[in-house]
Amino acid sequence: MYIKKTLLSSCLLGAFSSLAADNLTNSDPLTPYQWHLNNTGQNSFTTDTVAGKDLNLLNTDMQGIRGDGVTVTIIDSGIELSHPDLVNNVTAGSLNLLTSTATPTDNTGHGTAVAGIIAAQANNNIGGRGVAPQANIVGFNYLDAQSTSNWLQSHGMPLTGSANSRVYNQSYSSKPALFTNVDAEHALSLQLKERVMQQVSLNSNNSLGALFVKSAGNAFYQYTTFIGDTQFQVFPYEQQQQFNNAGLPFHNANLSADNASFWNMLVSAYNANGKLASYSSVGANVFLTAPGGENAQSQAGIVTTDISGCNAGFNTIDSTTDNPLQNTGLDSHCDATAAMYGTSAAAANTSGAIALVMSANPQLDARTIKHILASTARKLDANNTGVDINFTDNYGDATRYNAIPGWQQNAAGYNFHTFYGLGAIDVDAAVTMAQNTTSSLPALHISNWHSKNTPLTIPDANVNGVQDTLAITDNLTIEAVQLKLSIDHARMRDLAIELISPSGTRSVLLSPRTGLINAADTPVQNALLLSQHFYGESAAGQWKIRLIDTDNGTSQTLLYSEQTGLLSMNETNNSVDGTLLSWSLRFYGH
């Protein structure tokens, strides 16, 4: 997620004297503070961390596996390619999309920070180090020039130039207030991007392919969006309290159509205590979770590279979080920062981890690497029980709905949680599995869409909701499931959407109390959602969809801008029941 520079609170200089020893094989001054690489319970400029809540890569590093031969393309705000901790890992292919030169200048520090998390050089006595400190990096300043042609060029098309990248890091995410009609004419660019990512994912690098890593978003509690030319802050109102959303994500990651793409590996963020980061967007489409840190006012951020010098980027003479780096001589030139955080950082940590696994066995294709990461992911926050919400149903009775389940093991033996996907990345386990893997997954098969078009009534404020079934004969081992549906409902924020597999695994693809804004009573057409919850299960059998209206009108969505002041959406309950107009399923698997 794109993070603007923020001035953060001061931290204690005395923390440096009690820092635990660093076990990574390097001589860089800031690596002992990089808890995401090796969390020993150290104090990382703000508060103590919890030992073991990290990428678990010590054994990999001791083997000398550090990303050699793997190129990562960083699609961001640009990169300071001449940065002393990055310059030796820069390879040909970077492009400034504004000037058509080979220097994608970074004006914010965001892309440079992302690049450092992935591949800052180790053992050079400068700053910290990257997850994959010997990987190659290529950069594009796409966030400054967001045209379709620039998207294509930065994401590997044509299959030349940057298409020799094995990993594409996208530390950004959109936050729409409405579902996108993925079959509409105006969605042609989205359909084009799908075809391009499929091509690059499967056919680049002599058919070894590549992985697209993407941030889930930073909108758990609120988000900003444009309606016309006006930017609004959008936030929930529950039980007469602003920003109260009953413990549920206000902006489910599945609301963004590109986040529902099979080709994007979506990543949520956890903090140095091993809990979901306070800001992290979540959803059934999250594949894995990785370290993202917190705003350093409260907990540890991520230590990484910053724009050189003390006049730009995160680390300036005014940055209270980074003053200790300057004052103690750890970073007197302001070339690093301890203030990076977000699902941007989580995506970067994931891209670095992928580079390590790929370098451990360069013969494996991208889908097999993805499968290895899924198979070795660890349960994080194992006692997290999810979220139940209480509401008064249409009969006036108090009722409860399990809006986000706790950790569940699906029929194929994979653990899943809406907050964490299939779990936290475990680099050492993934590298070991890669080293012992001698064959790739069978060829990918993408099923046709299987559809039902019989309209069904969605009863208001009824925990039983409405359900429908669809018989599937595709004999596939699932890698992901897409759901496309059309709904006519006046208060979309009330709805929960569940998909239940033939094996009985229940996945909540859209949690209720989302920040959706209905547009003039226009039905939702061809909305796309994705679930990773069924990974490894069989597609064949009877699938069930359930839609549950979980509110009788007590919650609202609020919008604020300086031009309009405070506005309320969905203040009154829907006067008529909603309707499920149609739904379709598509399966990716082998």
Side-chain angles (χ1 to χ4, degrees), residues 390-529:
N390 300 304
F391 67 98
T392 302
D393 67 15
N394 54 355
Y395 300 108
D397 297 327
T399 189
R400 175 175 293 184
Y401 172 66
N402 181 221
I404 292 181
W407 280 100
Q408 295 173 288
Q409 187 174 88
N410 71 15
Y414 288 89
N415 295 309
F416 189 88
H417 196 295
T418 301
F419 288 176
Y420 306 115
L422 293 161
I425 295 170
D426 187 329
V427 171
D428 284 348
V431 163
T432 298
M433 185 172 175
Q435 290 170 326
N436 291 291
T437 299
T438 57
S439 60
S440 294
L441 287 180
L444 179 70
H445 178 79
I446 306 172
S447 79
N448 294 321
W449 283 105
H450 304 271
S451 302
K452 289 286 288 288
N453 298 299
T454 304
L456 296 171
T457 298
I458 308 168
D460 184 44
N462 188 321
V463 75
N464 295 316
V466 66
Q467 67 182 40
D468 198 11
T469 59
L470 193 58
I472 303 298
T473 58
D474 297 86
N475 187 23
L476 289 178
T477 298
I478 294 170
E479 294 178 42
V481 179
Q482 280 182 326
L483 168 67
K484 184 166 61 176
L485 74 174
S486 298
I487 302 170
D488 188 0
H489 198 287
R491 281 171 53 97
M492 284 294 298
R493 64 171 279 108
D494 296 353
L495 290 186
I497 300 173
E498 301 179 352
L499 190 62
I500 302 168
S501 73
S503 301
T505 301
R506 168 179 168 261
S507 179
V508 181
L509 275 73
L510 184 68
S511 50
R513 306 297 192 272
T514 55
L516 283 165
I517 299 172
N518 289 58
D521 298 323
T522 302
V524 170
Q525 297 284 350
N526 302 312
L528 187 68
L529 302 100

Side-chain angles (χ1 to χ4, degrees), residues 34-314:
Q34 294 182 293
W35 62 267
H36 59 290
L37 302 179
N38 183 29
N39 194 337
T40 61
Q42 69 266 51
N43 186 299
S44 189
F45 299 112
T46 48
T47 59
D48 290 338
T49 61
V50 176
K53 308 304 180 183
D54 55 31
L55 288 169
N56 192 33
L57 52 69
L58 292 183
N59 290 337
T60 297
D61 189 68
M62 288 176 64
Q63 294 179 60
I65 297 170
R66 294 173 190 151
D68 303 73
V70 178
T71 298
V72 181
T73 287
I74 299 164
I75 306 161
D76 213 285
S77 62
I79 303 175
E80 184 188 330
L81 298 177
S82 60
H83 192 288
D85 219 5
L86 298 173
V87 63
N88 290 332
N89 288 337
V90 173
T91 193
S94 296
L95 184 65
N96 188 321
L97 296 169
L98 293 172
T99 63
S100 298
T101 62
T103 54
T105 306
D106 183 8
N107 294 317
T108 68
H110 186 267
T112 299
V114 165
I117 293 171
I118 296 170
Q121 187 178 349
N123 303 315
N124 61 355
N125 202 32
I126 299 173
R129 52 160 280 178
V131 177
Q134 291 174 6
N136 300 318
I137 55 174
V138 168
F140 289 85
N141 58 339
Y142 170 70
L143 295 180
D144 293 334
Q146 297 182 41
S147 68
T148 299
S149 60
N150 286 341
W151 187 97
L152 295 173
Q153 192 158 13
S154 60
H155 287 72
M157 286 299 287
L159 293 182
T160 57
S162 69
N164 65 357
S165 291
R166 297 296 313 278
V167 189
Y168 290 81
N169 186 87
Q170 306 159 97
S171 284
Y172 58 85
S173 185
S174 61
K175 300 180 292 294
L178 300 167
F179 274 118
T180 299
N181 183 341
V182 296
D183 291 339
E185 288 187 11
H186 69 264
L188 288 176
S189 64
L190 184 66
Q191 297 162 24
L192 173 62
K193 291 175 183 179
E194 276 285 296
R195 292 195 293 272
V196 167
M197 286 196 292
Q198 179 174 346
Q199 272 275 83
V200 175
S201 297
L202 299 179
N203 300 328
S204 65
N205 298 289
N206 297 316
S207 297
L208 288 177
L211 289 175
F212 290 91
V213 179
K214 194 167 186 302
S215 300
N218 296 350
F220 191 96
Y221 288 108
Q222 62 175 326
Y223 68 97
T224 57
T225 194
F226 279 91
I227 301 177
D229 295 327
T230 303
Q231 185 177 19
F232 285 90
Q233 179 188 15
V234 188
F235 52 95
Y237 184 81
E238 180 90 13
Q239 296 178 349
Q240 299 183 335
Q241 292 179 323
Q242 295 181 9
F243 300 100
N244 178 2
N245 205 42
L248 293 169
F250 185 59
H251 201 270
N252 191 295
N254 242 331
L255 297 180
S256 304
D258 52 354
N259 286 353
S261 169
F262 169 76
W263 310 108
N264 274 327
M265 181 191 292
L266 207 67
V267 184
S268 68
Y270 67 85
N271 59 34
N273 293 333
K275 306 289 186 182
L276 183 73
S278 60
Y279 50 81
S280 181
S281 297
V282 297
N285 53 340
V286 169
F287 192 74
L288 295 167
T289 190
E294 295 278 4
N295 182 322
Q297 289 177 311
S298 56
Q299 291 184 28
I302 302 289
V303 174
T304 183
T305 48
D306 189 36
I307 294 175
S308 298
C310 298
N311 295 318
F314 295 93

Side-chain angles (χ1 to χ4, degrees), residues 540-561:
Q542 197 86 348
W543 287 78
K544 182 187 299 182
I545 190 174
R546 290 182 68 217
L547 287 87
I548 303 103
D549 185 310
T550 66
D551 191 13
N552 63 3
T554 60
S555 66
Q556 299 176 39
T557 297
L558 301 181
L559 294 84
Y560 174 79
S561 74

Side-chain angles (χ1 to χ4, degrees), residues 283-363:
N285 53 340
V286 169
F287 192 74
L288 295 167
T289 190
E294 295 278 4
N295 182 322
Q297 289 177 311
S298 56
Q299 291 184 28
I302 302 289
V303 174
T304 183
T305 48
D306 189 36
I307 294 175
S308 298
C310 298
N311 295 318
F314 295 93
N315 186 354
T316 67
I317 56 174
D318 299 318
S319 175
T320 53
T321 295
D322 290 327
N323 278 345
L325 277 69
Q326 304 165 27
N327 297 338
T328 61
L330 287 169
D331 180 38
S332 58
H333 299 294
C334 304
D335 293 346
T337 180
M340 181 63 177
Y341 72 99
T343 54
S344 288
N349 273 305
T350 301
S351 293
I354 291 169
L356 294 177
V357 181
M358 286 180 166
S359 67
N361 189 342
Q363 305 306 313

